Amino acid sequence: MPPEEEKDQEFVQLLTSHQTPLRAFVISLVPGSPDVEDILQDTNVVLWEKRESFELGTNFRAWAFVIARNVTMAVLRKNKRNAAPMLDEQVIHAVSESWHQREQVNDPLKRHALDLCLAALRPADREIVQARYQTGTSLTKHAVAKGRSAESLRTALYRIRAKLRKCVDQRVKMAGGDA
């Protein structure tokens, strides 16, 4: 296989493996927007077009998130006339920075602790978390599928996240560096 094809193949693997975090990032920038999938698709197109400027072995996630933020900002400027409330540029920058910091704290100890805490959840709670963060299903769709209200799932998810945060903090603290 020619080197260019190998490079493209590796790029496609990086791109596909980052779809879930990219979608979550875009959702955090335009919560409740019907444009999320369009923004993600536009981001993927730009990533593909700029693939030659990406240096394999560097931080793909950080590079992709910057592009996703720029695409999101362009869509917001284009749709500025819409009556739907959107986040302003300062808020988007703050959210983007928060994601960047989350990337920097990508601590294997915390990741391991989170895996253990997720495994300890009740199956129903774990299903809510998986539906929201792994499959990318909206809470509204999941609520309909489960015969519950979206608000009850939001409340449950809020409590589950608080429980997970506490569990992870306790495991990390108890481990003293070894969860």
Side-chain angles (χ1 to χ4, degrees), residues 110 113 117 164-174:
K110 286 184 179 180
C117 293
L164 285 172
R165 196 173 9 256
K166 183 177 179 182
C167 177
V168 168
D169 289 346
Q170 286 175 340
R171 284 189 178 276
V172 169
K173 187 175 181 179
M174 285 173 34

Side-chain angles (χ1 to χ4, degrees), residues 125-161:
D125 290 348
R126 193 169 38 252
E127 182 183 350
I128 293 170
V129 171
Q130 288 172 336
R132 180 66 183 98
Y133 296 108
Q134 290 177 345
T135 65
T137 304
S138 73
L139 282 178
T140 305
K141 286 181 183 175
H142 189 65
V144 169
K146 291 297 174 183
R148 294 178 62 180
S149 73
E151 190 56 40
S152 73
L153 281 186
R154 268 188 213 91
T155 302
L157 187 58
Y158 176 82
R159 289 182 183 140
I160 294 165
R161 283 193 305 239

Side-chain angles (χ1 to χ4, degrees), residues 24-39:
F25 177 63
V26 170
I27 289 169
S28 72
L29 295 177
V30 288
S33 171
D35 295 327
V36 169
E37 291 305 317
D38 290 339
I39 292 170

Side-chain angles (χ1 to χ4, degrees), residues 104-119:
Q104 298 303 318
V105 183
N106 197 5
D107 183 350
L109 173 64
K110 286 184 179 180
R111 183 183 303 258
H112 180 66
L114 178 59
D115 289 342
L116 294 172
C117 293
L118 282 167

